[in-house]
Amino acid sequence: MAHILLGITGSIAAFKACHLASDWSKQGHEVRVVMTAAAQEFVTPLTFSSLTHTPTRTSMFTAGLGSSDVADVPTRPLQIAHIADAKWADILVIAPASADIIAKIACGIADDQLTSTVLAYAEGPKILCPAMNVHMYANAVTQRNIATCKELGWTVVEPESGMLACGDAGKGRMEEPAGIEEAVDGLLLANRPDEDLPFKGLNVLVTAGPTQEPLDPVRFLTNHSTGKMGYALAETARDLGAHVTLVSGPVALEKPYGVDTVAVTTAQDMFDAVRSRFDNADITVMAAAVGDFRPVEQAADKIKKNGRSGIELELTSNPDILAWAGEHKRPDQTLCGFAMETRDLEANAAKKLNGKHCDMLVANNLRTPGAGFAADTNVVTVLTPGTDAESPVIEHWDRMGKGALAQRLLDRLAAMRAEDGRR
Ligand code: CTP
């Protein structure tokens, strides 16, 4: 969990900063808030002290050197709050950032608690979220100051266009909290120390979700996959430091930040997307529920009843993507497949492990409580190659959340690679 230093300046968008402070605190981050005098005209310091359980910093001089009102800052003499906060922070976010603070940052002015903290925060990720009137934003001097801030290492979360509080319409409305939180998450990830990133430098390819095989412009064949397992794997691999490509069938999940997501519809699309990326992948995990068959013909127009009591569909096989990957994988590549079974789990899964040349196969039985498509948990049997094809190593794992399972599977794949000297 991160130390987030949130600077708030004078803008009506300060109300959105309440959501930021609240969300981050709930997510387990530690948040300290620094407000300018103008910000306090819009929202009170008490609001943020209550949301963050930490005194809000408002002035350089209200409490001696600013030390006695600062939680967690040791009470040694001359612990100065703006210096201590700048050292404490993992990331500095100014939201909303008025034209005034942007100009001061661009010039290096340090005339209050926030600007002094900004100047003392020499290194580390920092984000500006401008909020102002459309003309103030478009003004050449503001644009010049923003460009200077970018040169100084600030990430700028561009404001949106829309109706502004002043009645004008145009660009100047601060990005919504969700967008700012995503930018913060991305920067925190990108700035993690290397020792926290066991997958740094690895390319991980994940397939997820169902495929849809169209019958006509209105209908398709599909399955109940929601993509949750594959998305959990992609997000976990990203959090471990990997570069992740997620090839996803149609699902209702948000695209994960920091992951290259390739949206596909049919099994053939998924095959094409995987085939062109497979060479680059160190680890490939295929969690997608790929449709095994597609209609031989796709009707150009809606298939009509025309008084018929039924119709016959002729289906043909789709490519088996995992089997293709198993045939083409190099010794330095690691391949993990999934298997969804309703009976004879171990025997069927062992066939898939061997037949598709996987390094690991993760099998689950649709009928087991807590396993299956839409659940947030899974109960899996993990198979790895044994001494001969007939005797794989079989482990039964207890029910766990899909996130925890993703972590454990990736840990196991990394350990297998380390044992073989593959890293
Ligand atoms: N798979 C694939 N391409 C297919 C079918 C399956 O890549 N056309 C992959 C899945 O992503 C999964 C694994 O193969 O990793 C096993 O999928 P599953 O549906 O359990 O088994 P099938 O191989 O399709 O065999 P069956 O339907 O006969 O059980």
Side-chain angles (χ1 to χ4, degrees):
M1 290 295 112
H3 290 174
I4 302 178
L5 191 53
L6 173 59
I8 303 171
T9 68
S11 157
I12 183 58
F15 81 90
K16 293 186 190 172
C18 304
H19 293 279
L20 290 172
S22 167
D23 288 351
W24 285 326
S25 298
K26 279 190 211 143
Q27 289 161 15
H29 296 299
E30 281 184 51
V31 184
R32 291 184 186 175
V33 173
V34 190
M35 297 178 80
T36 62
Q40 294 168 56
E41 298 292 327
F42 292 91
V43 197
T44 73
L46 182 61
T47 310
F48 292 99
S49 303
S50 308
L51 290 169
T52 64
H53 313 291
T54 303
T56 301
R57 291 82 163 113
T58 52
S59 156
M60 296 200 70
F61 309 110
T62 43
L65 286 162
S67 59
S68 59
D69 63 346
V70 175
D72 302 332
V73 175
T75 48
R76 278 179 284 131
L78 291 183
Q79 269 289 344
I80 301 166
H82 63 279
I83 307 295
D85 283 346
K87 285 185 185 154
W88 168 89
D90 296 318
I91 190 164
L92 171 58
V93 184
I94 305 193
S98 62
D100 180 61
I101 189 88
I102 292 170
K104 284 178 172 168
I105 292 172
C107 295
I109 290 172
D111 64 350
D112 66 2
Q113 182 72 12
L114 179 57
T115 47
S116 304
T117 307
V118 168
L119 207 57
Y121 183 80
E123 284 168 18
K126 44 197 179 185
I127 298 188
L128 278 178
C129 306
M132 66 197 75
N133 168 270
V134 55
H135 304 297
M136 293 171 77
Y137 183 70
N139 194 305
V141 73
T142 304
Q143 289 303 315
R144 190 191 64 193
N145 289 335
I146 288 175
T148 304
C149 289
K150 285 181 182 168
E151 277 167 27
L152 293 169
W154 288 85
T155 297
V156 176
V157 176
E158 296 288 328
E160 298 176 330
S161 291
M163 204 58 206
L164 304 176
C166 54
D168 285 346
K171 194 167 177 179
R173 200 170 62 183
M174 189 174 84
E175 170 67 287
E176 292 303 315
I180 296 172
E181 287 168 24
E182 193 172 316
V184 167
D185 287 340
L187 267 192
L188 283 172
L189 267 180
N191 284 277
R192 274 172 314 169
D194 280 2
E195 60 269 23
D196 294 351
L197 303 173
F199 277 44
K200 190 159 181 142
L202 287 183
N203 289 315
V204 174
L205 177 62
V206 179
T207 67
T211 59
Q212 293 178 352
E213 309 299 330
L215 213 54
D216 67 13
V218 182
R219 308 171 177 100
F220 51 80
L221 301 177
T222 190
N223 56 64
H224 293 293
S225 172
T226 56
K228 283 181 183 170
M229 191 64 240
Y231 276 57
L233 283 157
E235 288 171 9
T236 306
R238 171 204 64 198
D239 292 348
L240 294 170
H243 175 271
V244 183
T245 305
L246 172 63
V247 178
S248 173
V251 294
L253 303 172
E254 290 275 321
K255 278 188 186 177
Y257 63 83
V259 167
D260 283 341
T261 305
V262 184
V264 296
T265 305
T266 64
Q268 184 64 48
D269 293 343
M270 188 173 273
F271 185 37
D272 294 342
V274 168
R275 216 167 17 170
S276 60
R277 292 167 176 84
F278 182 66
D279 265 2
N280 230 354
D282 299 297
I283 299 176
T284 301
V285 186
M286 298 215 184
V290 186
D292 289 326
F293 302 101
R294 67 177 182 278
V296 170
E297 277 180 36
Q298 189 186 330
D301 290 303
K302 186 182 173 197
I303 301 170
K304 306 293 282 181
K305 287 197 288 295
N306 287 341
R308 291 179 289 186
S309 59
I311 59 165
E312 280 189 9
L313 286 180
E314 197 187 340
L315 304 178
T316 186
S317 291
N318 274 326
D320 190 316
I321 307 168
L322 181 61
W324 176 89
E327 272 167 37
H328 289 84
K329 91 182 166 78
R330 300 184 306 267
D332 63 298
Q333 290 179 300
T334 305
L335 183 62
C336 172
F338 272 69
M340 172 67 83
E341 306 294 344
T342 54
R343 59 186 299 169
D344 303 328
L345 180 108
E346 288 185 15
N348 283 325
K351 263 190 225 156
K352 289 177 191 173
L353 176 78
N354 295 323
K356 303 195 190 195
H357 307 290
C358 296
D359 297 293
M360 181 190 278
L361 197 103
V362 184
N364 55 170
N365 186 333
L366 188 60
R367 302 218 166 99
T368 305
F373 284 128
D376 289 320
T377 58
N378 212 341
V379 187
V380 300
T381 300
V382 176
L383 291 86
T384 46
T387 42
D388 61 76
E390 267 64 59
S391 44
V393 179
I394 300 180
E395 294 174 34
H396 299 282
W397 290 6
D398 289 340
R399 175 175 172 164
M400 66 185 94
K402 286 183 172 168
L405 175 58
Q407 178 79 47
R408 199 161 155 196
L409 288 173
L410 289 168
D411 283 349
R412 181 56 71 84
L413 288 169
M416 284 172 70
R417 287 175 64 82
E419 273 169 31
D420 303 348
R422 281 185 279 183
R423 210 225 134 233

